Amino acid sequence: MTPNLCIKNGTVLNPVTGKTRSVDIRIHDGVITETGPDLEVSDERVLDARGLMISPGWMDMHVHLRDPGQEHKETIETGCRAAAFGGFTAVACMPNTDPPIDNREAVQSLIKRAEMLPVDVHPIACVSRGRQGKNLSEMVELAEAGAVGFSDDGSPVQDGSLMRRALEYASRVGKPIINHMEDLGLGPKGEMNEGIISTTLGLTPIPTFSEESMLGRDLMLAELTRGHLHVAHVSTERSTAMIREAKVRGICVTAEACPHHFSLTENAVEKSGFDAQTKMHPPLRAAEDVEAIRAGFCDGTLDVICTDHAPHATFEKETDFVSAPFGIIGLETAWGLTGRHLIANGRLTVGEAVNKLCVAPRQILGIDVPVLKVGETANLTIFDATTEWIFEDRHIRSKSKNTPFLGMPMRGRAWAIYNKGRLVEQRP
């Protein structure tokens, strides 16, 4: 436990209303005991938050902790360490582990192992047993064990009948189905976005319509079943438009997009000299897709900013582009890229951005949103949206270092989190 704490001179942000107020916060034994201006300090630690903002703790609803089975890439402990650096007090982890998270014991084990860490870990369980796409997992049992959603992420649910039944069952337990939108038959074994650059470079393409065709199917199934469809890592202009239209029609659909998809284009592959750090799934797309993602956040089509944090060991990425695995880490850079590419250019206000990092993911997954008021358990992030900094190797807290953003400018930093009675500060 962190000793009793008084946070002084900060500006508290309400991410629902966007309103701010200058107030001190006193925390004793992990609970907010007093708020107000110019609180007197007694026998407690003081954290000066002058010039900084304080919001309820952020959540990343799409991370890969690689634990169990691939601990050489990441562990629960190192993943949570990276999350804390990025300002996150909670993460939801995907089930493509070894073995997959498809049973009660696996869900409960993850939750228990994270109990003593300052970051909450919420397991997302498999849609199908073993992520094989053949038989539904025991969704009711998994939800009772603590699963907050269902996904075979990394393995798209190809069988439409299975997807229909998944949406029907998930609706009974009030959980979303989170699908990786890709028709594998339309873009098998591709390496980068289909276009002039892939043709020039001689790389096998991944067409945008492989994402969009699967999305179209799932939107119709969501309309039919009235189940909650959550669209993972949206990457194309047409996908964004389809989701916008579906929401107008009243379909129960929510959606997320990642900082790399609103920060980089497919040009990064060529400019980097085929560096495998630019290889991700969905791939980096064209400039018009990047612009559509930014616009989708601006008009509310896209609900959540998440990272798809996908660590890989150095030796796995230090190979040729074709052979390297997909994925990059993202927890440490999420806020800096959001500030640079969405806030600084006026796409989102600070309050709107924090809402997409704090409120929306928890609402989608049915998790209580932290409240900063007396009597509530303290769960908060201390940050700014203006600090200019360069992302360097020393900032990486993940066990892996696979990122294309080293040496790139960021805007805005998370300076500390407080959760589970623990203060975690970040050094400049």
Side-chain angles (χ1 to χ4, degrees), residues 205-393:
I206 302 174
T208 59
F209 59 79
S210 65
E211 174 178 314
E212 295 149 2
S213 62
M214 179 73 84
L215 174 60
R217 182 204 73 174
D218 284 358
L219 287 172
M220 288 188 286
L221 289 174
E223 186 172 34
L224 174 68
T225 63
R226 299 185 180 181
H228 180 179
L229 173 69
H230 181 77
V231 186
H233 39 51
V234 176
S235 72
T236 81
E237 179 180 21
R238 184 178 294 177
S239 291
T240 307
M242 292 167 69
I243 294 165
R244 183 179 293 113
E245 179 185 356
K247 287 189 171 187
V248 172
R249 289 167 52 195
I251 296 175
C252 185
V253 58
T254 52
E256 66 186 42
C258 306
H260 48 271
H261 284 130
F262 61 71
S263 301
L264 297 174
T265 70
E266 60 187 346
N267 293 313
V269 177
E270 184 174 25
K271 289 180 179 179
S272 70
F274 300 92
D275 189 341
Q277 309 301 356
T278 61
K279 184 180 181 182
M280 55 209 68
H281 209 185
L284 297 175
R285 301 289 192 183
E288 56 266 29
D289 298 305
V290 172
E291 179 59 28
I293 296 296
R294 295 175 181 177
F297 278 122
C298 183
D299 68 15
T301 299
L302 302 177
D303 305 274
V304 173
I305 298 170
C306 68
T307 67
D308 193 12
H309 176 82
H312 292 290
T314 300
F315 74 88
E316 294 171 311
K317 277 287 194 178
E318 288 185 345
T319 183
D320 64 276
F321 193 89
V322 173
S323 302
F326 292 103
I328 64 170
I329 60 173
L331 287 162
E332 296 96 332
T333 54
W335 181 246
L337 292 171
T338 297
R340 182 171 180 79
H341 295 286
L342 294 180
I343 298 174
N345 60 18
R347 293 291 190 179
L348 294 177
T349 66
V350 175
E352 289 168 339
V354 171
N355 188 293
K356 294 179 184 297
L357 285 163
C358 169
V359 179
R362 289 185 172 93
Q363 289 178 336
I364 289 167
L365 297 175
I367 300 168
D368 291 338
V369 179
V371 180
L372 302 186
K373 68 178 184 179
V374 174
E376 296 287 340
T377 300
N379 181 333
L380 56 86
T381 299
I382 302 174
F383 66 100
D384 71 51
T386 56
T387 295
E388 301 277 356
W389 58 292
I390 301 297
F391 182 58
E392 301 175 356
D393 184 82

Side-chain angles (χ1 to χ4, degrees), residues 39-221:
L39 294 183
E40 292 187 6
V41 178
S42 56
D43 185 18
E44 55 200 0
R45 180 175 175 180
V46 176
L47 176 61
D48 188 355
R50 191 181 307 275
L52 304 179
M53 305 186 81
I54 306 166
S55 75
W58 303 344
M59 179 177 188
D60 188 342
M61 67 173 288
H62 191 145
V63 304
H64 299 269
L65 294 182
R66 308 299 194 198
D67 191 346
Q70 296 180 316
E71 290 87 351
H72 67 288
K73 302 172 187 274
E74 195 79 284
T75 65
I76 294 175
E77 291 77 12
T78 59
C80 287
R81 184 174 65 197
F85 180 89
F88 297 98
T89 64
V91 297
C93 57
M94 287 295 174
N96 57 335
T97 52
D98 186 15
I101 306 171
D102 66 353
N103 60 78
R104 176 187 293 272
E105 291 73 22
V107 170
Q108 292 176 334
S109 174
L110 278 169
I111 294 172
K112 184 172 182 58
R113 290 176 58 196
E115 284 179 350
M116 301 306 295
L117 299 174
V119 174
D120 302 316
V121 174
H122 300 280
I124 293 171
C126 296
V127 169
S128 64
R129 295 177 185 175
R131 294 177 57 248
Q132 295 299 307
K134 297 179 180 180
N135 300 295
L136 284 181
S137 62
E138 297 294 338
M139 290 186 174
V140 173
E141 181 178 292
L142 290 164
E144 291 174 347
V148 295
F150 301 98
S151 180
D152 281 355
D153 188 52
S155 297
V157 180
Q158 297 293 306
D159 187 328
S161 177
L162 184 74
M163 186 63 176
R164 174 180 178 173
R165 287 185 286 123
L167 284 163
E168 290 170 340
Y169 273 91
S171 65
R172 298 178 187 179
V173 293
K175 305 296 181 185
I177 295 294
I178 306 167
N179 199 14
H180 176 127
M181 298 299 175
E182 183 180 18
D183 185 331
L184 297 178
L186 294 174
K189 300 181 180 179
E191 292 124 19
M192 72 168 293
N193 183 53
E194 181 177 66
I196 295 175
I197 295 177
S198 66
T199 301
T200 301
L201 298 180
L203 294 173
T204 305
I206 302 174
T208 59
F209 59 79
S210 65
E211 174 178 314
E212 295 149 2
S213 62
M214 179 73 84
L215 174 60
R217 182 204 73 174
D218 284 358
L219 287 172
M220 288 188 286
L221 289 174

